């Protein structure tokens, strides 16, 4: 969990710095207010992308159907015999066991959520001085 926090902070800081450099080099704004607005907008957009990725990774969204036991109707149409269906169910069971073991060993990956939080806080900090 600690590694996830540190990685998230590192990714967020590096991303914010890269966005700030890009905005400064690309647009060369005349005032600091214009620069901070551009940085705030860029950082916020990238932060939202990180948030989407973080939620997908943290919730293990791509294995939701398999973990919850929701049948895969397209795969079920492909079964010609009962043996094929049993093999499919065994493979599902093995994947679920491997997911559970991985979750016990490593926990949930919080890296992208921390980086998204940092990026959104940086965006708010750059937009607060505009008030």
């Amino acid at each position: 969990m600690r590694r996830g926090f540190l990685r998230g902070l590192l990714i967020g800081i590096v991303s914010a710095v890269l966005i700030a450099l890009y905005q400064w080099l690309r647009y060369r704004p005349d005032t600091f207010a214009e620069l901070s607005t551009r940085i705030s907008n860029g950082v916020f957009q990238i932060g939202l992308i990180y948030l989407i990725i973080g939620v997908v990774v943290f919730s293990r969204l791509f294995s939701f159907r398999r973990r919850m036991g929701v049948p895969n109707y397209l795969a079920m149409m492909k079964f010609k015999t009962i043996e094929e269906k049993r093999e499919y169910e065994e493979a599902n069971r093995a994947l679920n066991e491997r997911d559970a073991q991985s979750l016990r060993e490593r926990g949930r990956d919080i890296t992208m959520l921390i980086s998204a939080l940092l990026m959104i806080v940086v965006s708010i900090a750059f937009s607060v001085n505009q008030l």
Side-chain angles (χ1 to χ4, degrees), residues 11-127:
I11 289 172
I13 290 170
V14 168
S15 298
V17 168
L18 288 177
I19 291 168
L21 282 174
Y22 173 77
Q23 294 295 335
W24 182 67
L25 293 174
R26 170 91 166 121
Y27 298 107
R28 298 280 183 179
D30 294 332
T31 63
F32 180 73
E34 185 182 348
L35 177 64
S36 66
T37 301
R38 287 189 177 278
I39 291 172
S40 175
N41 291 342
V43 167
F44 188 74
Q45 290 172 358
I46 300 300
L48 288 180
I49 291 171
Y50 285 168
L51 183 64
I52 292 169
I53 294 169
V55 167
V56 167
V57 169
F58 186 78
S59 66
R60 299 181 307 153
L61 190 63
F62 293 122
S63 62
F64 176 78
R65 182 198 52 76
R66 181 175 41 78
R67 284 183 292 114
M68 293 297 132
V70 178
N72 185 355
Y73 292 109
L74 293 176
M76 293 172 90
M77 288 185 213
K78 296 177 185 176
F79 300 139
K80 303 286 186 209
T81 64
I82 294 174
E83 289 80 22
E84 289 177 350
K85 183 178 179 183
R86 285 188 189 135
E87 289 175 11
Y88 172 76
E89 289 172 353
E90 283 295 320
N92 254 356
R93 224 174 280 120
L95 286 173
N96 283 341
E97 289 172 7
R98 190 171 41 190
D99 277 354
Q101 180 181 1
S102 166
L103 188 60
R104 278 192 307 271
E105 289 174 358
R106 293 183 290 152
R108 295 189 186 267
D109 192 14
I110 200 164
T111 301
M112 297 306 276
L113 292 176
I114 295 298
S115 61
L117 178 67
L118 178 70
M119 301 275 293
I120 291 171
V121 167
V122 167
S123 172
I124 290 170
F126 271 104
S127 62

